[in-house]
Amino acid sequence: AIDSSTGAIWAGTRKGLARFEGTDWVVLNAGNTNSVMGNDLISSIVVSGSIMWIGTSKGLVQYDGKEWKRFTPENSGMPAPYARVFAVESNGDVWMGLSRDTIDNGIGENGTMIGLAKFDGTTWTLYDNTTCPLGARDYVNAVAIDRKGNKWIATCGHLNSYTTAAGIVKYDNTKWTSYTMQNS
């Protein structure tokens, strides 16, 4: 992710967070910063205004330039501990694909994807196969939010079961629409 205010480039790795400013890379860990992440596996980074959101193997981390705050199932009611992919809405709500573990099956999927979640800074809302078109075996590959506030979720069938995938799912804050090969 690129911080438009400072020009810093933030990169997530399997062993923590790194920042590039000008000519030097700095790895942020418990030894050189007050970061709560240590050597967490980083799955996603989004910079939204002055806030950076970081998906890790141990929860969701928020950094405001001074303080680091970790959200986990234990301290915030987060529905699952691994925030894999996400996008931030203009009002600050964070939409993310969640998994119960960080086990990679070799093709970039985690073993137990549970669905899409929204976090408004206080409350978590889970959207899964009981509340939206995501199938029980769907995997959230990407989340994007357009200028109108529509959420776009790219899915695939878990463990390559493409026939059960919800396809590209759109949520306009009222209605869910699933675009698949069969209907679009």
Side-chain angles (χ1 to χ4, degrees):
I2 298 174
D3 184 335
S4 61
S5 62
T6 67
I9 297 171
W10 294 90
T13 74
R14 290 187 177 270
K15 302 235 183 222
L17 184 66
R19 180 183 67 224
F20 182 74
E21 288 189 63
T23 59
D24 297 316
W25 282 97
V26 175
V27 177
L28 304 175
N29 58 38
N32 65 7
T33 181
N34 63 349
S35 166
V36 298
M37 290 181 297
N39 292 332
D40 291 4
L41 182 151
I42 308 297
S43 63
S44 238
I45 304 167
V46 173
V47 178
S48 177
S50 63
I51 304 293
M52 182 168 46
W53 293 96
I54 305 149
T56 81
S57 56
K58 297 177 184 169
L60 178 68
V61 174
Q62 177 190 52
Y63 179 58
D64 67 4
K66 295 178 185 165
E67 292 186 55
W68 300 86
K69 185 174 185 181
R70 183 188 298 274
F71 300 92
T72 66
E74 294 78 22
N75 74 9
S76 73
M78 186 176 181
Y82 186 37
R84 187 176 181 280
V85 294
F86 52 93
V88 180
E89 200 165 0
S90 61
N91 68 0
D93 290 353
V94 183
W95 292 78
M96 67 201 81
L98 292 178
S99 176
R100 290 200 199 318
D101 58 40
T102 60
I103 298 168
D104 186 330
N105 67 3
I107 59 170
E109 291 185 3
N110 298 92
T112 53
M113 198 75 176
I114 68 163
L116 180 72
K118 178 181 87 166
F119 180 57
D120 67 8
T122 305
T123 304
W124 292 91
T125 305
L126 178 63
Y127 300 94
D128 62 12
N129 65 311
T130 65
T131 57
C132 74
L134 293 177
R137 297 180 55 79
D138 277 355
Y139 195 80
V140 177
N141 279 330
V143 180
I145 302 170
D146 67 24
R147 283 182 254 156
K148 294 180 180 180
N150 295 311
K151 286 62 170 181
W152 294 89
I153 302 97
T155 74
C156 74
H158 184 65
L159 299 176
N160 289 326
S161 56
Y162 300 108
T163 58
T164 62
I168 303 294
V169 178
K170 175 185 170 188
Y171 180 55
D172 67 7
N173 296 315
T174 304
K175 182 176 111 183
W176 295 90
T177 306
S178 178
Y179 299 95
T180 66
M181 289 188 334
Q182 291 76 25
N183 71 3
S184 65

